[in-house]
Amino acid sequence: MHHCRICNHPTETFLDLGPMPLANAFLLPEDFLREHFYSLRAAFCPSCGMVQIADNPDPEDMFHGDYAYFSGQSRYMVQHFQGFAHSVRDTLGLGPKDLVVEIGSNDGTMLTNFASAGFRHLGIEPSGNVADVARAKGVETLVTFFNRETALAVREQQGPAAAIIGANVVAHIPDMHSVAAGIKALLAPDGSFVFEAPDLASMIVNGAYDQIYDEHIYFLSASTVAHVFGLYGLTLVDVQEQWVHGGSLRFWLRHSEGARISDAVARQLAKETRLGLGETKTYDAFRRRCEKSRDQLRQVVGDARAAGKRVVGYGATAKGTIVLNYCGLTPEMIEFVSDTTPAKQYKFTPGTHIPVLPHGAFAADYPDYAVLFAWNHREEILAKESQYAAKGGKWIFYVPDVHVL
Ligand code: SAH
Ligand code: TYD
């Protein structure tokens, strides 16, 4: 039986996605035979409401010197992080003498906005290869995992942080208690902790089961963030909806003493209650929707192949790894997956072993159908690929439901 990582209460498994490889572990044929699989199950804690995966692989197996995800790959994300950085700077009235710490700073895409303006800053990033890219841009980076011990060491050396920021990282860290204790210890008395994460409400509304994978330990909501960080004397003072990663929330937290809470928090909490995020039946309905989506996607791709059409994937995303494996899509069904990330190219998709090829392979010989695995970048990609559609190419989407465009 699995126990909640937050409150230790037994959880309820609501979706079993089967044996899964690590979602970002694109690999070469010589590694096919020693590929590692784990059991991927999503669970709901009826006591504290936290949605989480039941078993997680060791973080050191996921975040290392050969990590495949580079934040700077999407032009929109680069702009988004510039907006995030400016919003933090302006809302908190930060100046160059203030210390800004980012957790999960990856290739420095966000922190470069502070570094280039001469701010004191520090990125904390365990994946050495992406950290090297950040350092080459002039972003100071400590190659380690953020936790309470790291936070205490940083405070000792650099003093308290005026702002601690992060994107797509807090829900990646299994020991959220240690994260919260670390934030509490490192944050200056009037400092703020601002982080973004794909949110549970969006996942449920979109039927986006592909957000469930090894790196995403938790699926957060205003309710659960307020609860966990509240245990450590930190208060959720504001929350803002973001469109990135298929729907995210930006959470603003401060030390609890004297914290003033914006109306947006109550509005978000009410929305989460309305959506039934604290109720078991919501997750049962989600499972039925996922099973239907899986059967439909298999059918659409199978019908296209039976008619002799070529089908490829667009975007070798971690999300795509889940869809390919859960839906049982094979290299006979999906010819290749196109992706702009050099570290993924000429490797094969985890578990399903479909070749990942550079964008040129897609552009040089348009397929009949392309499954959009990078659906969170839909606007950017459809605009960029208008020629594909103009020449009769069709897109297959599976979020919010399976449909062909
Ligand atoms: N913030 C970037 C990268 C997100 S990917 C963005 O939003 O685009 C998640 C990142 O978190 C990876 O670079 C990974 O190495 C890092 N990470 C994982 N566990 C971490 C931890 N305990 N502390 C700090 N970073 C961590
Ligand atoms: P992302 O959307 O962050 O997905 P995940 O978190 O599920 O891995 O990753 C986007 C992937 O899509 C990344 O590998 C780069 C690729 N990509 C393209 O190939 N072309 C594009 O135009 C864009 C925007 C992304």
Side-chain angles (χ1 to χ4, degrees):
M1 177 175 303
H2 174 257
H3 288 83
C4 177
R5 291 181 183 79
I6 302 301
C7 72
N8 211 32
H9 194 278
T11 60
E12 298 167 352
T13 294
F14 64 88
L15 183 63
D16 186 344
L17 291 132
M20 248 334 136
L22 301 185
N24 267 315
F26 295 88
L27 72 176
L28 293 167
E30 56 260 40
D31 296 319
F32 285 175
L33 288 177
R34 31 175 183 177
E35 195 171 16
H36 174 71
F37 288 79
Y38 68 102
S39 153
L40 179 59
R41 291 175 296 140
F44 166 66
C45 174
S47 176
C48 73
M50 187 63 95
V51 174
Q52 55 203 290
I53 58 173
D55 309 299
N56 65 283
D58 187 341
E60 314 233 346
D61 289 340
M62 299 186 276
F63 309 115
H64 43 53
D66 192 21
Y67 184 60
Y69 187 79
F70 291 72
S71 309
Q73 278 301 308
S74 157
R75 203 166 43 81
Y76 276 34
M77 288 309 290
V78 173
Q79 280 173 13
H80 175 76
F81 287 128
Q82 184 182 51
F84 187 147
H86 289 172
S87 166
V88 168
R89 181 197 62 194
D90 298 344
T91 306
L92 307 181
L94 300 179
K97 292 207 178 84
D98 292 317
L99 175 64
V100 178
V101 173
E102 184 182 357
I103 308 176
S105 45
N106 197 268
D107 62 4
T109 297
M110 171 116 81
L111 266 189
T112 193
N113 294 291
F114 288 102
S116 63
F119 276 71
R120 288 174 61 217
H121 67 275
L122 181 66
I124 299 174
E125 171 50 65
S127 299
N129 61 328
V130 294
D132 286 343
V133 175
R135 285 173 169 160
K137 290 181 191 158
V139 172
E140 306 264 354
T141 309
L142 196 61
V143 179
T144 193
F145 288 90
F146 182 84
N147 52 31
R148 184 170 169 275
E149 287 65 44
T150 304
L152 290 171
V154 170
R155 172 148 188 153
E156 178 78 23
Q157 284 160 20
Q158 311 225 14
I164 305 175
I165 58 180
N168 309 302
V169 64
V170 171
H172 289 49
I173 307 177
D175 191 351
M176 195 172 283
H177 287 287
S178 178
V179 170
I183 300 290
K184 182 72 185 172
L186 180 55
L187 205 58
D190 59 349
S192 288
F193 174 41
V194 189
F195 76 96
E196 237 170 59
D199 74 304
L200 177 63
S202 298
M203 178 175 95
I204 296 294
V205 169
N206 290 330
Y209 65 85
D210 59 352
Q211 295 285 5
I212 303 171
Y213 57 89
D214 51 298
E215 295 180 23
H216 293 172
I217 310 290
Y218 299 105
F219 303 90
L220 300 176
S221 61
S223 160
T224 52
V225 166
H227 169 65
V228 178
F229 288 89
L231 298 172
Y232 292 85
L234 294 161
T235 294
L236 179 65
V237 293
D238 201 3
V239 61
Q240 297 159 341
E241 288 186 351
Q242 306 291 324
W243 62 270
V244 294
H245 287 294
S248 295
L249 288 175
R250 186 178 296 167
F251 301 100
W252 298 71
L253 294 102
R254 300 179 65 92
H255 290 291
S256 299
E257 307 82 63
R260 281 204 307 273
I261 304 176
S262 123
D263 295 345
V265 173
R267 278 198 301 275
Q268 179 64 27
L269 292 171
K271 173 179 166 180
E272 292 171 359
T273 303
R274 214 163 48 239
L275 287 171
L277 298 191
E279 297 169 55
T280 301
K281 69 174 195 295
T282 305
Y283 302 97
D284 288 335
F286 182 76
R287 178 188 51 251
R288 289 194 295 275
R289 182 170 172 191
C290 295
E291 288 165 354
K292 185 168 155 210
S293 173
R294 173 191 62 194
D295 296 347
Q296 287 177 334
L297 185 61
R298 245 194 323 228
Q299 181 86 39
V300 167
V301 174
D303 288 352
R305 293 296 293 132
K309 304 292 185 194
R310 291 177 57 220
V311 185
V312 309
Y314 197 105
T317 58
K319 296 187 288 292
T321 296
I322 302 308
V323 175
L324 289 166
N325 283 282
Y326 179 59
C327 300
L329 300 177
T330 62
E332 288 69 43
M333 298 165 95
I334 307 283
E335 194 176 308
F336 62 85
V337 182
S338 159
D339 197 283
T340 54
T341 315
K344 296 180 185 175
Q345 293 163 357
Y346 304 109
K347 290 190 174 165
F348 291 79
T349 57
T352 48
H353 305 164
I354 297 166
V356 179
L357 297 178
H359 179 257
F362 175 82
D365 185 13
Y366 284 144
D368 300 296
Y369 291 89
V371 185
L372 188 61
F373 293 121
W375 55 267
N376 46 316
H377 302 285
R378 175 179 172 140
E379 213 183 310
E380 176 175 356
I381 291 171
L382 264 55
K384 189 154 83 180
E385 302 295 357
S386 57
Q387 272 305 305
Y388 168 61
K391 297 212 161 118
K394 293 196 167 59
W395 292 105
I396 300 176
F397 302 101
Y398 54 87
V399 168
D401 44 46
V402 176
H403 60 288
V404 179
L405 187 76

